[in-house]
Amino acid sequence: MEQLELFVDRRNLFEKLHSIEFLYKGFKAVKKNKGAPGIDDVTIQDFEVDFASNLRQLIEEIKGWKYRPSSVLRLEIPKPGKNAGTRLLGIPCVRDRVVQAALKLILEPILDPLFSDNSYGFRPNRNQRQAVEAAQRIVKTGKEYVVDIDLSKFFDRVHHDRLISRLAQHIDDKRILRIIGMTLRSGVMKDGLYRPTDEGTVQGGPLSPLLSNVVLDELDKELESRSLEFCRFADDCNIFVSSRKAAQRVMDSISKFISNRLKLAVNQEKSNVALSKHVKFLGMTIIAGTIAISVVSMNRAMAKVKELTPRGTYQTLEKTIKGINKWYMGWSQYYGMTQYPGQLKKIEAHVRRRLRSRIIGQQKKRRHLFNKLIKRALSRSYAANTVYNNDGRWAISGKFAMAKAYSVPWFINQMGQQVRSDQKRTNPHWFSIDQWIRMT
C-alpha cells in the first residue's frame, strides 16, 4: 500500500507544483534568500505587494500550460585570486525563482535519498565541515594521495538531454520534466542581447544546485562501483588513494569517464595529483591527519584585512573596527574548523597591527605621535626611542610600545563596549573583534 501511494504521488507532482501550498513555500524560500530582480526589474518586494494576485496568475499559467520561464539576466563576477577569471551567474525573474523553489521542494525528497553518502554539497543537513572531516577520516586511514578533479565551467556545460534522462529514471510525471526542460532552455539576456541556452544550468537559480547533484551523482556511482573513497561538494571532488601511481591511474581513467560519459570538461591546469597536505579542499588542507586553513585561504584573509584597513582614509577607527568585525565573524565561523588555532591568531594579530598603523598614519608629525605615547603613559625615553628613528609607520606599528600604548582596554573603550571576561562560545575562536582585542 505504501509503495502504491508513493507511486501515485510521484506521478502527480504537477498538481503539487500549481498548488497554493508549494508556490507559497517557494516564495518564502525566495524571500529568505533575497536577491536582485531579473530582466523584468520586479523585486521580491514588488512581487509581494500584490502577492495574492501574482500567485493566482502563476497557478493559472502553470495549470493551463501558459507559463513560460523568462530569460535569465546574465552577470559576470570575478573569481577570488589574481587572474582567476570570472564566474557566470544568472538571475531569474522572481516569479521564475518561485516556481523553481517550489520544484526543488517537490523533487528533493524524492531525489536526495538516492544520492551518495559521499556527496555533501547543496543537500539538507550536510555542509562543508562534514565534507572536510570526512576527508580527514579517509587520510587518517593511510590514503594520503589525492586526485583533485576540477571541472571546467561545470554549470555552463551540463548536457540537457542527459540531465532530463537521469531525472526520468526517478520522476514519473512527464509534465514536471517538461517544465524543467523549459527552464533549462529559457535563454540568457546580457547587455540587452538574447542568447539561447543549448547546454548548462544557470548558476544562481534555486533549482540548479539540485540538478547539479543529479548530474554528478553518476560520477559518484562510478567511483563507488570502483570501490574508491572520495568526498564531493558540488563540483569539487577529491578522490583518496594510497600511492601516487594509483592516483595518476585514477586521474586518467576518471577524466576520460567525465569527458566521454558525462560530456563535461576537466580543467587540466587546476586538476592535479598530490599529497593531501598540498591540496586545497573547500578552503582547508589535511596535514598529517589534521585540518588546517589552506595557504591560499590564509593569503586571501590577509588581503581582506588589508582591504578593510586601507591607508589614507578618513573613516573613523570605530567604523573600521565594525567593518572588520562583520567580516571576521563570518570568516571565523567557517574557518574555525582548523585544528591550528595559531592560524586564527595570526589573522587577529594582523588586524591589530593594521589598526595601530592607522593610528600612526593619522599623525602628521613625529612629535604628535610622541606626545600621544606620553599621554598613553609611556616614559619619555621609551616614546622617543620608538618614534624618533628612521623606521616607517609599519615598522613602528609592530613595536611593543605601540601594543602597550594602544592596548586592549584602549580598543574596548573606543568601541564603547564592555565585554565579560568569562564570555565563552561553542567554538572558542569565534570571537568578534572587540572580544579578541582584549586577549592581546
Side-chain angles (χ1 to χ4, degrees):
M1 182 65 179
E2 291 180 0
Q3 290 181 346
L4 178 60
E5 289 177 351
L6 183 61
F7 177 76
V8 172
D9 186 52
R10 291 189 181 190
R11 287 189 60 87
N12 291 279
L13 301 179
F14 185 72
E15 280 67 32
K16 286 187 176 182
L17 180 61
H18 60 69
S19 69
I20 292 178
E21 177 188 0
F22 277 91
L23 287 175
Y24 176 65
K25 287 180 179 179
F27 174 75
K28 283 173 52 176
V30 170
K31 184 178 179 180
K32 182 179 179 181
N33 290 332
K34 302 179 181 179
I39 61 171
D40 59 359
D41 287 328
V42 175
T43 66
I44 296 173
Q45 291 74 23
D46 294 335
F47 189 89
E48 191 174 21
V49 167
D50 199 8
F51 180 68
S53 176
N54 287 328
L55 207 61
R56 281 197 301 270
Q57 183 177 348
L58 260 183
I59 290 172
E60 291 304 317
E61 287 184 10
I62 296 171
K63 199 173 180 180
W65 285 102
K66 296 179 181 180
Y67 170 74
R68 293 292 182 272
S70 301
S71 301
V72 173
L73 181 63
R74 172 70 82 193
L75 293 179
E76 292 186 17
I77 63 170
K79 293 181 180 179
K82 293 183 179 179
N83 304 318
T86 59
R87 177 178 285 111
L88 298 177
L89 293 183
I91 305 178
C93 297
V94 173
R95 68 197 309 271
D96 294 330
R97 297 211 297 270
V98 171
V99 174
Q100 288 190 41
L103 278 168
K104 179 177 180 290
L105 290 168
I106 294 167
L107 299 180
E108 192 169 62
I110 298 171
L111 298 173
D112 189 77
L114 305 173
F115 296 152
S116 168
D117 289 337
N118 301 300
S119 168
Y120 295 88
F122 309 133
R123 299 184 61 187
N125 304 314
R126 285 174 171 254
N127 54 45
Q128 293 100 322
R129 185 176 189 128
Q130 292 171 335
V132 173
E133 289 175 347
Q136 178 190 28
R137 288 193 295 271
I138 297 172
V139 171
K140 281 184 174 181
T141 65
K143 296 185 176 181
E144 296 185 320
Y145 283 90
V146 181
V147 180
D148 183 16
I149 296 178
D150 184 271
L151 299 179
S152 178
K153 297 181 179 180
F154 165 71
F155 282 92
D156 303 315
R157 290 177 171 162
V158 169
H159 194 281
H160 289 175
D161 290 341
R162 284 192 56 79
L163 172 55
I164 295 298
S165 176
R166 293 283 295 180
L167 285 168
Q169 295 176 21
H170 311 290
I171 306 300
D172 298 319
D173 195 328
K174 306 301 181 185
R175 297 168 295 179
I176 288 291
L177 299 179
R178 182 180 171 187
I179 291 284
I180 294 174
M182 291 165 55
T183 300
L184 292 172
R185 294 186 293 271
S186 61
V188 297
M189 190 77 72
K190 183 182 178 183
D191 299 327
L193 298 176
Y194 170 82
R195 184 175 67 82
T197 46
D198 300 322
E199 61 178 2
T201 175
V202 175
Q203 189 172 358
L207 189 59
S208 294
L210 179 61
L211 297 182
S212 72
N213 273 331
V214 172
V215 173
L216 292 175
D217 184 61
E218 192 170 357
L219 172 61
D220 297 342
K221 295 299 190 287
E222 177 67 18
L223 296 175
E224 289 174 345
S225 70
R226 301 186 186 191
S227 300
L228 291 170
E229 294 197 71
F230 67 97
C231 292
R232 182 177 66 79
F233 192 97
D235 57 339
D236 195 348
C237 182
N238 280 1
I239 307 167
F240 301 86
V241 293
S242 302
S243 69
R244 180 176 293 275
K245 186 176 180 180
Q248 192 59 59
R249 185 170 62 250
V250 169
M251 171 65 83
D252 294 340
S253 62
I254 293 301
S255 294
K256 290 178 181 178
F257 175 83
I258 291 172
S259 300
N260 299 335
R261 185 74 176 272
L262 302 185
K263 310 300 181 183
L264 298 171
V266 175
N267 189 328
Q268 299 296 341
E269 292 183 0
K270 293 185 178 181
S271 300
N272 69 315
V273 168
L275 287 168
S276 64
K277 63 182 179 181
H278 299 308
V279 175
K280 177 173 70 73
F281 182 50
L282 301 177
M284 311 303 290
T285 300
I286 310 299
I287 302 175
T290 60
I291 299 172
I293 303 173
S294 71
V295 174
V296 173
S297 297
M298 285 293 292
N299 290 339
R300 285 177 182 168
M302 297 289 274
K304 183 64 177 180
V305 171
K306 185 176 181 179
E307 176 189 324
L308 292 170
T309 55
R311 291 189 176 192
T313 178
Y314 292 99
Q315 189 180 71
T316 65
L317 190 66
E318 180 180 358
K319 191 172 182 179
T320 299
I321 291 175
K322 286 182 177 178
I324 297 170
N325 182 56
K326 183 179 179 181
W327 164 77
Y328 186 76
M329 284 293 286
W331 187 87
S332 63
Q333 277 189 343
Y334 179 78
Y335 288 99
M337 74 175 83
T338 179
Q339 294 175 318
Y340 294 85
Q343 291 184 299
L344 295 172
K345 292 179 181 179
K346 181 178 180 180
I347 301 299
E348 296 162 3
H350 188 55
V351 172
R352 291 191 291 269
R353 186 170 179 182
R354 292 284 303 183
L355 294 176
R356 287 168 182 142
S357 178
R358 163 81 66 83
I359 294 170
I360 296 169
Q362 290 173 344
Q363 315 310 312
K364 293 183 178 180
K365 295 184 178 180
R366 294 258 172 160
R367 73 169 182 269
H368 295 164
L369 178 60
F370 172 79
N371 291 333
K372 282 186 173 292
L373 293 181
I374 296 298
K375 289 180 180 180
R376 300 301 308 155
L378 264 67
S379 67
R380 295 183 67 85
S381 60
Y382 196 8
N385 289 334
T386 301
V387 175
Y388 296 117
N389 51 52
N390 294 324
D391 292 337
R393 58 183 281 186
W394 183 247
I396 295 174
S397 69
K399 293 187 176 183
F400 180 74
M402 287 300 299
K404 184 177 180 181
Y406 294 95
S407 60
V408 174
W410 187 88
F411 280 107
I412 293 177
N413 289 334
Q414 289 298 301
M415 288 297 294
Q417 296 182 9
Q418 297 298 321
V419 182
R420 292 173 53 192
S421 61
D422 60 345
Q423 184 178 9
K424 296 181 180 179
R425 293 177 181 266
T426 304
N427 185 323
H429 303 295
W430 294 1
F431 319 123
S432 60
I433 292 297
D434 52 310
Q435 284 178 285
W436 59 250
I437 272 178
R438 64 186 171 81
M439 299 180 64
T440 309

